[in-house]
Amino acid sequence: MNNTEQITLNVSVNLLLEKQLKDAVKLTNKTEEDLIREALEIYLSQINKTPTCYDLALESGIIGVAKDLPSDLSTNPDYFQGFGQL
């Protein structure tokens, strides 16, 4: 199957979700199919996203653990004098 072929899926939803979908159809002037397709694309792109180094560092808790250092340590050029020199 290539990216241009389409298949039909049948999905059961509860009454609240059906109402929310119908309300969104009225608000956006899009079809139910278009809204469901967009929601799936957004959701799947987010869960399949490879985490960045920043995401991993934040998740592991190593960001912001240094104590008693200036708050602008990573942005103030004064702290970079001599950095990287032997």
Side-chain angles (χ1 to χ4, degrees):
M1 182 183 316
N2 63 41
N3 290 340
T4 59
E5 291 182 73
Q6 293 194 8
I7 62 166
T8 300
L9 299 175
N10 294 314
V11 179
S12 297
V13 297
N14 63 35
L15 294 176
L16 176 60
L17 194 54
E18 179 191 28
K19 181 185 180 330
Q20 290 173 329
L21 181 59
K22 289 189 183 304
D23 290 346
V25 166
K26 290 177 188 173
L27 284 172
T28 62
N29 291 321
K30 294 181 180 181
T31 66
E32 289 180 358
E33 291 83 5
D34 286 340
L35 289 173
I36 292 168
R37 192 175 301 109
E38 287 176 16
L40 269 174
E41 288 172 355
I42 291 168
Y43 176 77
L44 293 174
S45 71
Q46 289 175 353
I47 66 166
N48 292 329
K49 185 178 106 175
T50 303
T52 64
C53 288
Y54 175 77
D55 295 332
L56 295 172
L58 192 59
E59 184 180 314
S60 70
I62 63 172
I63 292 181
V65 297
K67 304 292 183 212
D68 301 322
L69 294 174
S71 60
D72 63 345
L73 184 61
S74 66
T75 57
N76 189 331
D78 292 341
Y79 302 119
F80 296 122
Q81 288 179 335
F83 182 76
Q85 297 176 358
L86 298 175

